[in-house]
Amino acid sequence: MNPINYLYLAALLFTIGAAGVLIRRNAIVLFMCVELMLNACNLAFVAFSRLHGNLDGQIIAFFTMVVAAAEVVVGLAIIVTIFRTRHTASVDDASLMKL
Amino acid sequence: MESLIALLVGAPLVGAAVLLCGGKRLDRAGHWLGTLLAVVSFVIGLVLFANMLGRGAEDRALHQHLFSWIPVGGFQADIAFQLDQLSMTFVLLITGVGSLIHIYSIGYMEHDERRRRFFGYLNLFLAAMLLLVLADNYLLLYVGWEGVGLASYLLIGFWQHKPSAATAAKKAFLVNRVGDMGLSIAIMLMFTTFGTFAFGPVLGAAGETSEGKLTAIGLMLLLAACGKSAQVPLQSWLGDAMEGPTPVSALIHAATMVTAGVYLITRSGAIFDAAPDAQTAVVAVGAVTLLFGAIVGCAKDDIKKALAGSTMSQIGYMILAAGLGPIGYAFAIMHLVTHGFFKAGLFLGAGSVMHGMNDEVDMRRYGGLRKHMPVTFVTFGLGYLAIIGFPGLSGFFSKDKIIEAAFASGGTQGWILGAATLLGAGITAFYMTRVMLMTFFGEERWRKAPTPSPDQPSVEPAAETRGEYEPPHPHESPKSMTIPMIVLAFGSVFAGGLFSINEAFVHWLEPVTSFKHGHAPVSALAVTASTIVVLVIGVGIAWLMYGRKPVPALAPRGSFLTRAARRDLLQDDFNHVVLVRGGEELTRALVRIDDAVVDGAVNGTAVSVGGLSGRLRRLQTGYVRSYALQMLGGAAVLVFATLLMRGV
Amino acid sequence: MADFSFPLLSATAVVPAVGAVATAAVPAAKRTAAKWLALLFSLATLVLALVIAVRFDPGAKGPFQLTESHAWIADFGVRYELGVDGIAVALIALTALLIPFVILAGWHDADALEKDATKRWRPTQGFFALILAVEAMVVISFEATDVFLFYIFFEAMLIPMYFLIGGFGDRAGVDDATEGAARRSSAAVKFLLYNLAGGLIMLAAVIGLYAVTADQLGTGTFSLQQIVQARAAGDLTMGTGIERLLFLGFFFAFAVKAPLWPLHTWLPGAMGESTAPVAVLITAVVDKVGTFAMLRFCLQLFPEASKWATPVVLVLALISILYGALLAVAQKDIKRLVAYASISHFGFIILGVFAMTSQGQSGATLYMVNHGISTAALMLVAGFLITRRGSRLIADYGGVQKVAPVLAGTFLIGGLATLSLPGLAPFVSEFLVLVGTFSRYPVLGIIATVGIVLAALYVLVLYQRTMTGPVRAEVRAMPDLKARELVVVAPLIALLLFLGVYPKPLTNLVNPAVDHTLSVVDQQDPKPDVRVNAVPGEAGTDRDAEAAK
């Protein structure tokens, strides 16, 4: 199969993820959408790796996974804390930082 | 001998330092110390004078170079003294009259709690004035020049608790500063023209530069002289300066400091001789001032202010004579010296009168004092005869020579100047007779309570309106005051005659000032005769107005001229409207501009930056999704930009 | 002597810096000890400054002496380079001399804040430590011959100054504490932002200078000497446009600091809101770095651009002179009056610097020193006065002369020095500046002379309104100067008198440095029209003999 198709798939997934981030309010869903975007990128990296015939993309994909895992730890912790204090996971309610 | 010159300045300077820094411990002995040092200075002056007479006329000048003062590149200023015949004359006048006035002040200031400080200031004045006449370059002269200005400021404002005294002192200093501006510009011009400002080189090379430059230097020196010597247009401070204690008026504002302008012009003779236009300006100023001062003197009821007008007028004579060049310099200085005697004597007499009259200065409150103060009356009277130029007394010799020289200056100018000086002599006779009659003759007006003046009702004390007026008890002043007056009276009588024996004074000064006999279009005898005629007319009119008729207790309204003269010919009004008001408006406008425009631009920048950031702040909505959208948009823009750049 | 390697210049900057740290570290309870410690360190600095002045040889060749040079940030050609010429020596001596007086005069300035003191917030220690910190930075700015090194300390001194103005301001005459605090902090912020803006523009020019030298010499450098030598040798030629831009960048920063009209508006606020000793620190010490840097950096780094800008700068200086003086006349607040008077005086200094004559520049340098001393005398006495009455308004005084004659007398002498009375030091410098300007630009010289009349006006009006007239009830109980205050004022007055009569030690120090600057700018004094055999015989030999010594 032509590796180019994987790139199309990656673009599609990224778009779905981005749209989700922009549209959805639930923090958990938002978070999943971010993960979707990250994984779309991973897919693209791996596809590029294949296309170019070197391992750079795959190495970066590993990096991304590690970073994403770390991010999930921190992010979920924040979301859980917010849910505990506010009893909601809607991101629009958490706008106290604005002036 | 040279080393004595520094001592001459040093003695009073040490006195000033000790008296002003010494504190209250010196209160009891301070006046003696101050007087002693003034006398020491006078004795040194006499020693130097005797020594000078022992040498030939051409090598009498002494130089003393102390140290290099400001050396920067071509600019070399030294602390160095020069004592020649001209300086010597001044040294003797300053220290002599100065010593007498120190002695007089012991009595006059006896009841003032700040007497020590008064003597400190007097010593400071002597030191500065001696520095002025002994300096061998213009910059050092400038130091003395401002030094006497400072002493004058401190002494006019000596009674600082009186707002009028403080204001008068400030005014004197400020007007003098305008003149000082002239002196500093003159020095700068000399520096750029000659590369130096020491007397010897500058005056020696005066002929080698263009007349235009010399005229500029001359006019600037004239401006300086106008400030210090109270000549029109910078004369307005002298009348107010009478707020100071009377010995100060006698020493500083009659005998010595105000004549510094005459010294400056005489000293710079070589420059003026080569710049006829500047000379014309000098004689014009002199002629205008001698009439101006005389007219003002006629209208004043305040005895000291009348005398101040007279001082202005007499200095006008000197300036005029100095402006005539070699035919006049010596007579200017001679009149200066005789004037020093008789005017100091007149002021001390006025002080003595005030001393006996509870510090009353209004001549309309005097009258008939000759019986109560015989010594004062006689000495004042001799001074009076001297100033009006009564034949045989000092003023006659010196003033007559100036009138002659004025006629001799040639052409139309000669006739105009001659007429002005003659007219001035007549007015002098008038106003001095008026002072004399109002003070010492006539009804004893002080016995009656003063009539409330319609102009100033507020100044009348309440006690007098209730009829509890207690008249003053005029009495003769103590010896310490009368002795200086007697000595000065001797000077007023004999100095002029002595100086004129074989033209002794003229020949004494000749090596410094050079001398030429003027050739008057009329004979000397005719000039003398007309002077005497004018004098008699002046005295006669005064007699008719103030001797025959009783003097009204309130000044009559008088003609327009009288009213203007009472207000110093409206000069102060002019100054007030144009300079004071104008200045206030200007500074106020500038304050507004500084706040609104200059600082406003700065603050405006700050405010607009603040406003802009306020607008930009709205972009921060706090909604995560909008941030995400912005990020997406930004990323998209970047991607497209990259693609576009690639495409190109 | 030459191989004597004790780093004298560094030591002079390090001692006050160490003093600042030591003072700040004094425990809260020992306030008085902190004051004495600060005074001790400032005196030690003064001793070192005097050692510099003694060891400096005005006759020696080469522009800088006592030099120290170490690599610092080698990658960017930044070096730790110190060196002094006569001008710097004079100004270091001035700084070191004034700081002990500032400390003594401000002995009780921080006491009012002690009521809020805690173990960690120690106002007294902080106040004196900040003063010493400013001293250290000013001293090193005078010493630095590396542009980057200079820049760092030129900017860094803003930080302690900011806290001194905003944190330790003048509480006299402030009825409403919050409003007073707001005024103080706004003055401090204005001071900081104004100077920071100038500094940032200068930073751009500093980087530009590096770029130019890196481009032409191969390796970039900030060394003043290296750049001047390279220019002289023809290795470095800046384009006209570039040179002008860089000049403007430097000049802007110095003109803000100096301050030159119309960049002066921060000064009256800063001086008005801070206590008198801090105001002295601002105008007599910190601002001098601005005028000094014009002389050292603007003229020497960019001689051609300096000549190009001269007409505009001279006109601005002239405006400063007259404008400052006129505004001083209209002020109602004593300290703001002194501030505007200072603006007028800075106009004279800049006029002298850019007149490009030896009299003008020597005069300007002397002016910096003399203005420092005279303003310190006037301002500190004004501070004593304000502390006694608790008001800064001129209208609240009257008749002080009668109750406190010594205070009035010293105030008058300070005022007379400010109006440049002959016999006092400022006259010498002012006249030199005027002559120097006049010999090249007669019209400007004459207009500047008007400044001396205006100076008399504002000084005498101030004196008349505060000191003379009937005694006001509020000042009746005013005590005269105390011993500590006399110790502050008397030496300053003595110095004013001494330098007025015998300024030669200073002129000897400054003249060679000014000649060097003028040779870098390639300017000569105008020649007089008539050559006169300058001095009569005996005076001439005297001077030669003195010169030989």
Side-chain angles (χ1 to χ4, degrees):
Chain A
M1 202 165 111
N2 190 350
I4 289 289
N5 293 335
Y6 290 102
L7 288 184
Y8 290 135
L9 177 61
L12 194 67
L13 287 175
F14 188 89
T15 314
I16 294 170
V21 169
L22 293 179
I23 292 164
R24 301 300 297 265
R25 286 179 200 179
N26 189 306
I28 301 287
V29 178
L30 216 77
F31 210 68
M32 283 160 62
C33 290
V34 171
E35 288 301 313
L36 197 58
M37 286 160 73
L38 282 173
N39 282 315
C41 292
N42 273 349
L43 186 59
F45 276 128
V46 175
F48 282 130
S49 176
R50 174 81 181 171
L51 270 172
H52 296 294
N54 60 18
L55 293 176
D56 291 0
Q58 298 195 26
I59 290 168
I60 290 180
F62 279 119
F63 268 109
T64 316
M65 282 181 208
V66 174
V67 171
E71 188 202 323
V72 167
V73 173
V74 179
L76 273 181
I78 293 173
I79 290 168
V80 168
T81 321
I82 289 177
F83 186 76
R84 271 199 199 141
T85 52
R86 300 172 164 261
H87 304 289
T88 166
S90 166
V91 288
D92 285 3
D93 290 347
S95 63
L96 283 177
M97 288 289 279
K98 79 162 186 184
L99 280 166
Chain B
M1 263 308 132
E2 284 89 349
S3 50
L4 279 180
I5 304 180
L7 211 58
L8 204 55
V9 182
L13 195 61
V14 168
V18 170
L19 290 174
L20 293 177
C21 302
K24 292 207 170 68
R25 275 154 293 164
L26 286 173
D27 271 355
R28 286 177 52 204
H31 47 285
W32 294 113
L33 179 68
T35 312
L36 177 73
L37 286 168
V39 174
V40 164
S41 207
F42 180 53
V43 171
I44 297 173
L46 283 178
V47 170
L48 284 166
F49 180 59
N51 175 272
M52 186 180 268
L53 285 179
R55 273 170 290 143
E58 289 303 327
D59 49 29
R60 279 178 171 163
L62 287 177
H63 291 273
Q64 185 189 15
H65 184 261
L66 280 186
F67 53 88
S68 162
W69 179 27
I70 317 176
V72 177
F75 186 94
Q76 298 287 344
D78 295 324
I79 305 273
F81 298 125
Q82 171 187 337
L83 181 72
D84 58 7
Q85 288 89 331
L86 181 61
S87 306
M88 192 75 238
T89 312
F90 271 89
V91 165
L92 290 180
L93 177 73
I94 295 160
T95 54
V97 177
S99 300
L100 288 175
I101 285 172
H102 273 77
I103 295 168
Y104 179 90
S105 307
I106 294 176
Y108 191 82
M109 300 298 283
E110 196 175 356
H111 304 295
D112 197 297
E113 53 177 348
R114 290 158 72 234
R115 180 161 66 163
R116 168 181 58 86
R117 191 182 296 207
F118 181 79
F119 276 84
Y121 292 159
L122 275 188
N123 272 359
L124 176 68
F125 168 75
L126 280 191
M129 190 71 203
L130 288 169
L131 184 64
L132 195 165
V133 296
L134 286 171
D136 96 322
N137 61 65
Y138 282 97
L139 198 65
L140 193 58
L141 180 148
Y142 187 38
V143 176
W145 190 264
E146 289 241 340
V148 292
L150 170 68
S152 157
Y153 169 77
L154 293 169
L155 285 167
I156 295 172
F158 187 72
W159 288 316
Q160 296 189 332
H161 50 92
K162 284 200 295 187
S164 58
T167 309
K170 181 185 71 185
K171 181 174 174 185
F173 197 95
L174 280 177
V175 176
N176 269 297
R177 266 263 154 156
V178 176
D180 296 347
M181 218 176 91
L183 187 54
S184 56
I185 293 174
I187 296 173
M188 294 192 276
L189 268 167
M190 286 177 204
F191 176 68
T192 54
T193 315
F194 302 106
T196 174
F197 35 77
F199 289 151
V202 167
L203 300 173
E208 292 172 36
T209 186
S210 69
E211 200 186 308
K213 286 232 162 143
L214 288 175
T215 306
I217 295 176
L219 289 177
M220 286 299 123
L221 290 175
L222 174 64
L223 179 64
C226 283
K228 196 60 71 191
S229 293
Q231 301 293 294
V232 174
L234 298 179
Q235 85 296 355
S236 63
W237 63 272
L238 188 61
D240 295 353
M242 296 300 127
E243 287 288 344
T246 310
V248 172
S249 313
L251 177 61
I252 301 186
H253 305 119
T256 55
M257 184 193 85
V258 283
T259 57
V262 184
Y263 171 79
L264 183 68
I265 291 177
T266 313
R267 177 58 83 195
S268 320
I271 293 173
F272 284 97
D273 290 344
D277 291 346
Q279 275 189 323
T280 312
V282 173
V283 289
V285 165
V288 169
T289 311
L290 83 89
L291 293 175
F292 187 105
I295 293 170
V296 170
C298 292
K300 293 284 184 186
D301 287 335
D302 178 330
I303 184 167
K304 286 179 74 183
K305 291 199 169 166
L307 289 177
S310 152
T311 303
M312 218 185 273
S313 164
Q314 298 302 316
I315 297 173
Y317 273 103
M318 300 171 208
I319 295 275
L320 186 146
L324 295 175
I327 59 169
Y329 292 133
F331 300 126
I333 301 299
M334 186 163 133
H335 193 53
L336 191 155
V337 174
T338 55
H339 175 256
F341 285 122
F342 58 67
K343 188 51 69 60
L346 287 170
F347 264 111
L348 293 191
S352 175
V353 169
M354 286 161 59
H355 198 70
M357 294 288 291
N358 297 348
D359 288 329
E360 176 64 71
V361 289
D362 187 356
M363 291 192 288
R364 294 188 187 278
R365 306 276 314 129
Y366 293 167
L369 290 175
R370 66 180 185 283
K371 283 170 289 194
H372 303 276
M373 302 178 166
V375 181
T376 308
F377 168 62
V378 172
T379 53
F380 195 93
L382 289 173
Y384 154 73
L385 291 177
I387 192 175
I388 63 172
F390 192 81
L393 272 70
S394 289
F396 169 74
F397 292 103
S398 49
K399 199 190 284 179
D400 198 47
K401 289 288 179 196
I402 292 179
I403 298 175
E404 253 178 66
F407 276 112
S409 67
T412 329
Q413 187 194 330
W415 286 105
I416 296 173
L417 293 178
T421 48
L422 262 184
L423 181 61
I427 307 179
T428 307
F430 170 78
Y431 67 74
M432 283 313 297
T433 311
R434 172 174 177 269
V435 169
M436 198 68 197
L437 290 173
M438 285 174 83
T439 308
F440 291 103
F441 294 91
E443 178 194 359
E444 297 182 343
R445 294 181 295 277
W446 40 269
R447 289 201 187 277
K448 276 187 294 191
T451 333
S453 154
D455 299 334
Q456 297 161 302
S458 59
V459 296
E460 300 306 327
E464 294 168 7
T465 53
R466 293 199 303 270
E468 294 166 16
Y469 176 72
E470 191 183 333
H473 304 284
H475 55 273
E476 191 53 83
S477 300
K479 283 241 162 44
S480 65
M481 288 169 68
T482 50
I483 289 171
M485 284 154 59
I486 294 167
V487 175
L488 287 171
F490 270 97
S492 322
V493 175
F494 299 113
L498 283 176
F499 290 164
S500 299
I501 300 172
N502 293 329
E503 297 193 312
F505 194 80
V506 172
H507 292 308
W508 155 254
L509 280 182
E510 200 173 342
V512 185
T513 58
S514 72
F515 177 69
K516 253 186 356 213
H517 271 288
H519 296 289
V522 284
S523 75
L525 206 63
V527 172
T528 311
S530 42
T531 314
I532 294 174
V533 169
V534 168
L535 184 147
V536 171
I537 296 174
V539 173
I541 296 177
W543 165 252
L544 287 177
M545 285 175 70
Y546 299 96
R548 250 172 27 133
K549 295 185 285 194
V551 178
L554 266 184
R557 191 154 175 278
S559 67
F560 173 75
L561 184 66
T562 319
R563 272 176 285 141
R566 269 190 209 127
R567 303 178 65 99
D568 297 327
L569 293 180
L570 304 180
Q571 234 251 304
D572 276 339
D573 303 73
F574 174 82
N575 284 351
H576 187 77
V577 171
V578 175
L579 296 177
V580 179
R581 286 271 178 75
E584 278 173 0
E585 287 302 318
L586 176 67
T587 53
R588 248 182 254 140
L590 277 179
V591 169
R592 276 197 295 273
I593 290 175
D594 197 48
D595 282 347
V597 182
V598 184
D599 203 23
V602 178
N603 290 339
T605 315
V607 168
S608 55
V609 168
L612 190 65
S613 42
R615 299 263 164 78
L616 287 176
R617 201 185 62 186
R618 304 243 171 92
L619 290 178
Q620 308 292 316
T621 53
Y623 294 113
V624 176
R625 286 173 299 130
S626 76
Y627 298 156
L629 185 62
Q630 283 166 24
M631 279 162 71
L632 187 73
V637 167
L638 277 181
V639 167
F640 279 112
T642 319
L643 287 177
L644 270 178
M645 294 304 279
R646 277 243 182 120
V648 175
Chain C
M1 284 300 250
D3 54 357
F4 181 74
S5 59
F6 178 71
L8 195 53
L9 296 186
S10 297
T12 315
V14 166
V15 166
V18 171
V21 175
T23 311
V26 174
K30 304 197 167 154
R31 280 194 279 137
T32 321
K35 295 176 182 177
W36 283 104
L37 194 66
L39 185 62
L40 208 66
F41 271 99
S42 70
L43 288 173
T45 317
L46 176 59
V47 170
L48 283 173
L50 291 179
V51 173
I52 292 181
V54 171
R55 289 181 42 86
F56 181 83
D57 174 15
K61 281 209 166 133
F64 297 114
Q65 295 179 35
L66 303 169
T67 48
E68 293 166 31
S69 181
H70 305 283
W72 183 22
I73 313 176
D75 290 347
F76 298 108
V78 178
R79 297 183 65 82
Y80 177 79
E81 262 190 5
L82 302 183
V84 286
D85 55 4
I87 302 172
V89 171
L91 289 171
I92 291 170
L94 169 76
T95 308
L97 179 86
L98 286 181
I99 299 294
F101 294 123
V102 165
I103 289 176
L104 263 181
W107 206 247
H108 297 300
D109 276 8
D111 290 1
L113 294 168
E114 281 293 338
K115 61 180 186 324
D116 315 323
T118 60
K119 198 158 179 299
R120 298 178 68 184
W121 164 232
R122 290 162 295 182
T124 307
Q125 282 86 334
F127 183 68
F128 292 104
L130 287 171
I131 292 177
L132 286 175
V134 172
E135 178 178 24
M137 293 181 194
V138 170
V139 166
I140 207 160
S141 309
F142 287 138
E143 291 170 345
T145 53
D146 185 282
V147 177
F148 195 82
L149 183 67
F150 168 82
Y151 173 76
I152 289 176
F153 288 101
F154 180 76
E155 287 291 271
M157 70 179 82
L158 297 179
I159 302 165
M161 281 316 300
Y162 170 77
F163 287 111
L164 281 173
I165 298 169
F168 298 90
D170 195 350
R171 275 146 177 86
V174 179
D175 303 327
D176 182 355
T178 18
E179 193 211 316
R183 284 221 311 258
R184 273 199 299 284
S185 73
S186 107
V189 166
K190 195 167 190 172
F191 162 81
L192 187 69
L193 286 182
Y194 225 127
N195 281 280
L196 216 52
L200 287 176
I201 291 177
M202 179 177 163
L203 179 62
V206 169
I207 296 168
L209 185 69
Y210 178 79
V212 171
T213 52
D215 186 37
Q216 297 205 12
L217 300 176
T219 51
T221 178
F222 291 107
S223 164
L224 175 65
Q225 263 178 295
Q226 216 177 329
I227 293 172
V228 170
Q229 279 163 9
R231 275 192 88 113
D235 296 339
L236 180 70
T237 46
M238 294 183 198
T240 316
I242 297 283
E243 189 183 338
R244 286 176 186 178
L245 273 179
L246 294 182
F247 168 84
L248 287 179
F250 276 73
F251 185 78
F252 185 77
F254 303 149
V256 168
K257 186 81 96 189
L260 180 68
W261 188 90
L263 306 172
H264 64 275
T265 50
W266 62 270
L267 186 69
M271 279 178 75
E273 296 304 324
S274 49
T275 60
V278 175
V280 169
L281 208 57
I282 298 172
T283 184
V285 177
V286 171
D287 286 355
K288 294 298 181 308
V289 182
T291 45
F292 164 80
M294 287 183 196
L295 205 49
R296 179 177 270 188
F297 294 109
C298 278
L299 296 195
Q300 300 198 19
L301 287 173
F302 316 109
E304 293 307 317
S306 302
K307 280 185 260 182
W308 162 75
T310 296
V312 178
V313 176
L314 287 179
V315 169
L316 289 180
L318 209 54
I319 295 177
S320 280
I321 293 173
L322 300 180
Y323 187 88
L326 281 171
L327 277 168
V329 176
Q331 292 307 310
K332 300 186 177 80
D333 176 324
I334 299 176
K335 285 199 289 185
R336 288 177 70 93
L337 189 150
V338 179
Y340 277 105
S342 286
I343 291 170
S344 177
H345 288 142
F346 281 112
F348 273 109
I349 296 176
I350 296 170
L351 193 71
V353 169
F354 278 84
M356 310 266 185
T357 55
S358 59
Q359 289 85 32
Q361 293 191 345
S362 284
T365 311
L366 258 61
Y367 212 124
M368 292 184 218
V369 176
N370 295 338
H371 171 257
I373 302 172
S374 68
T375 308
L378 182 65
M379 195 68 181
L380 292 179
V381 180
F384 300 150
L385 185 70
I386 291 169
T387 323
R388 281 167 165 69
R389 169 78 174 79
S391 165
R392 299 177 219 162
L393 292 183
I394 296 170
D396 284 345
Y397 295 87
V400 175
Q401 200 274 338
K402 191 126 180 121
V403 276
V406 179
L407 192 155
T410 49
F411 192 68
L412 181 63
I413 296 178
L416 292 174
T418 303
L419 63 77
S420 300
L421 188 85
L424 298 172
F427 168 73
V428 175
S429 40
E430 189 162 297
F431 202 82
L432 280 174
V433 166
L434 287 174
V435 161
T437 311
F438 185 87
S439 59
R440 184 154 286 156
Y441 309 98
V443 177
L444 297 186
I446 289 173
I447 300 174
T449 315
V450 177
I452 70 172
V453 180
L454 294 174
L457 185 61
Y458 61 70
V459 168
L460 295 185
V461 167
L462 172 65
Y463 184 78
Q464 188 192 355
R465 297 207 179 136
T466 51
M467 298 296 170
T468 70
V471 184
R472 281 176 66 112
E474 296 93 333
V475 304
R476 194 153 287 151
M478 188 179 276
D480 212 332
L481 287 189
K482 290 193 277 283
R484 170 181 64 88
E485 296 165 330
L486 267 180
V487 168
V488 173
V489 179
L492 291 175
I493 287 177
L495 211 57
L496 283 174
L497 280 166
F498 176 74
L499 290 178
V501 178
Y502 196 68
K504 221 174 150 201
L506 268 182
T507 52
N508 280 349
L509 201 60
V510 167
N511 283 343
V514 163
D515 291 342
H516 170 74
T517 311
L518 282 175
S519 73
V520 171
V521 192
D522 191 23
Q523 291 277 15
Q524 267 114 34
D525 287 347
K527 292 266 174 290
D529 305 356
V530 183
R531 206 55 230 148
V532 181
N533 298 336
V535 269
E538 74 254 44
T541 47
D542 271 20
R543 185 178 300 120
D544 294 342
E546 279 185 45
K549 269 189 258 166

